[in-house]
Amino acid sequence: MHLPSLSTVASWLKTWQPAILLGILTCGAYGLVLYGFGIIAGPIQEDEGWSSAMVNAAFMGSYLLGAAASLVSGRVLDVLGPRLVLWSGLVVGTIFLMAASYVGNVWLFIVFWTLGGAVTIAGLFYNVTMPIAARLYPQRQTAAMTVLVTTGGFSSVIFMPLTGLFTEEFGWRWAVRILLVLAAALSLPAVLTVRRLPVIPPPEQPGQTSEQTTSVDRYGYASVGEALRSREVQVTIAMVVTSSFGLGALLNHFVPAATAAGLSLTASASLTGLRGFLSLPGRALIGPMATLMGLRPALGAGYFVMLLGTLCLLAAGPLWWIYLSAIIAGLVWGQTMPLQGLIASEVYGLRRLGTLMAIQTAAGNVALAIGPFAAGVLLDSVAGDYQPVLIAIAAMNALTFLLLVLLTRVRRRTLG
């Protein structure tokens, strides 16, 4: 087997250094705010005597406020570049989250965690790093996204076991402090390195060429308002909302649904870890799939397979259906968000990508927060029977697939 030379590896690293650093930053940002919280939530309740609802209110608050704050960070990214957004996400987010680890009052904990998590989400999550990568590599966006999300995909693999280890050894408060220092160390290289983006030319004027009939050119829409009036943009955002709603409900209810079907809690939790690990090869396949099939067919295959995974869980009598569902969800989970990001870049264009991506992410995050709650309400109304819940999630998966089909048709009419 012929191994690449050191000069080839060095050249590759030089070319993709910004995307790699952005992926490492994203890995640190997601580590505690998303993946670590589910692990420390139980110990917080036990140590502090706070209710589950109060503790989880901090998580929900961080995502809802983060959705709103993302609208601001996206606009700032488009107008001023990445420096202010990245520095604010790192410094302000770390300060508030660190403060949350010191307070003894549950309301102060909710306030500090909500603020810290929201700023981190708005300034360091994929809603920022994806537009930056797209602007840095305008001709090689698929490859850049693959590098970004594959690197960032190690977040759950690294932070979930570390969160459990540190919490068990030092308690949840010191675990949060140690993980914040680790996340800051991972984020700092990108914050220091990625300081400016290529300049996007002003929009071409209507009538300037025979082909130019609107203010939309190859760099995208001239204004955010014009973009939001576009049918293509509207369908894209709706697709992300339904996808996030179904995905959030499935991810949060997979373990109880699996245990209700007869799997042990330990086995169900292990499958959750397997799902996170399997997202890595799924992310690595983004580039080859997009090249072989095209962006929309690749995402459509992912949506369809996610529907099959939900139906496998619904059919679980034989327990191997549950394992199959977890494997499918893991492989597809890592592909959905970056493929959505690539399609968004194609639909929105580079000029307003930060703002429009922020709007898309904000809408998706709200759906991601509401999905598990809505599934819980439905579960309570049917006396704990997970069959109607899984049917509803499958219906949402099917609706997402149909919206992608509609988006493809709208795109063809737009180009035609």
Side-chain angles (χ1 to χ4, degrees):
M1 179 177 178
H2 179 68
L3 296 176
S5 65
L6 290 178
S7 61
T8 302
V9 173
S11 177
W12 187 90
L13 290 174
K14 183 178 180 180
T15 300
W16 298 108
Q17 176 184 317
I20 295 170
L21 293 180
L22 286 169
I24 294 172
L25 173 146
T26 311
C27 180
Y30 275 85
L32 175 62
V33 173
L34 177 61
Y35 299 114
F37 190 89
I39 296 175
I40 64 172
I44 291 175
Q45 297 167 41
E46 295 174 4
D47 293 351
E48 309 301 327
W50 300 337
S51 70
S52 174
M54 295 297 283
V55 172
N56 284 283
F59 178 83
M60 184 175 68
S62 68
Y63 263 80
L64 294 179
L65 183 60
S70 295
L71 301 178
V72 178
S73 66
R75 179 61 177 164
V76 173
L77 179 64
D78 282 339
V79 175
L80 300 178
R83 184 180 301 181
L84 179 60
V85 174
L86 296 179
W87 273 112
S88 298
L90 175 59
V91 175
V92 179
T94 300
I95 288 174
F96 277 116
L97 290 172
M98 190 70 75
S101 74
Y102 283 94
V103 298
N105 178 279
V106 66
W107 290 107
L108 286 176
F109 173 79
I110 292 174
V111 169
F112 286 142
W113 192 278
T114 295
L115 292 173
V119 174
T120 303
I121 290 168
L124 301 177
F125 271 27
Y126 281 128
N127 52 283
V128 168
T129 55
M130 280 186 175
I132 292 175
R135 288 278 298 274
L136 289 173
Y137 301 92
Q139 307 302 323
R140 307 176 70 179
Q141 291 185 30
T142 300
M145 292 290 187
T146 301
V147 173
L148 169 66
V149 300
T150 302
T151 307
F154 283 94
S155 183
S156 61
V157 177
I158 295 172
F159 275 84
M160 290 183 76
L162 285 182
T163 303
L165 174 64
F166 293 151
T167 302
E168 190 174 71
E169 291 294 325
F170 309 113
W172 74 268
R173 294 182 183 273
W174 272 106
V176 168
R177 296 163 195 165
I178 295 170
L179 291 171
L180 283 173
V181 172
L182 175 60
L186 293 175
S187 302
L188 200 56
V191 174
L192 292 172
T193 303
V194 183
R195 293 178 291 181
R196 55 180 59 88
L197 300 175
V199 176
I200 299 296
E204 300 172 18
Q205 296 301 315
Q208 187 173 352
T209 67
S210 59
E211 296 83 11
Q212 186 70 34
T213 57
T214 72
S215 58
V216 183
D217 59 23
R218 68 191 183 94
Y219 293 106
Y221 294 88
S223 70
V224 174
E226 182 182 23
L228 294 177
R229 289 190 295 271
S230 163
R231 181 74 176 277
E232 190 176 14
V233 172
Q234 293 169 358
V235 175
T236 300
I237 294 175
M239 180 186 72
V240 171
V241 167
T242 57
S243 172
S244 300
F245 191 97
L247 183 62
L250 181 62
L251 292 180
N252 280 37
H253 286 272
F254 175 83
V255 170
T259 54
L263 204 64
S264 70
L265 180 60
T266 300
S268 300
S270 299
L271 281 180
T272 303
L274 175 64
R275 185 182 62 202
F277 180 78
L278 288 175
S279 71
L280 295 175
R283 291 166 192 254
L285 289 172
I286 293 170
M289 285 184 63
T291 301
L292 180 65
M293 304 172 63
L295 290 178
R296 284 166 179 75
L299 182 57
Y303 285 155
F304 185 74
V305 171
M306 183 64 76
L307 171 60
L308 290 180
T310 306
L311 293 177
C312 286
L313 189 58
L314 179 64
L319 295 184
W320 65 268
W321 282 104
I322 303 176
Y323 289 93
L324 181 60
S325 175
I327 292 170
I328 289 174
L331 290 171
V332 176
W333 182 30
Q335 298 177 356
T336 302
M337 183 182 295
L339 284 171
Q340 288 177 167
L342 284 167
I343 290 176
S345 177
E346 182 180 273
V347 171
Y348 302 155
L350 295 179
R351 182 175 289 111
R352 308 295 177 189
L353 183 58
T355 302
L356 292 170
M357 193 78 143
I359 293 172
Q360 171 184 296
T361 302
N365 280 350
V366 170
L368 192 69
I370 295 176
F373 175 77
V377 171
L378 177 58
L379 183 66
D380 291 340
S381 70
V382 294
D385 183 4
Y386 260 102
Q387 295 292 307
V389 174
L390 293 173
I391 291 172
I393 294 174
M396 195 63 64
N397 295 152
L399 177 58
T400 303
F401 181 81
L402 292 177
L403 285 170
L404 177 62
V405 173
L406 176 60
L407 176 63
T408 303
R409 292 182 178 179
V410 172
R411 180 70 173 177
R412 287 173 181 168
R413 287 200 297 268
T414 301
L415 297 177

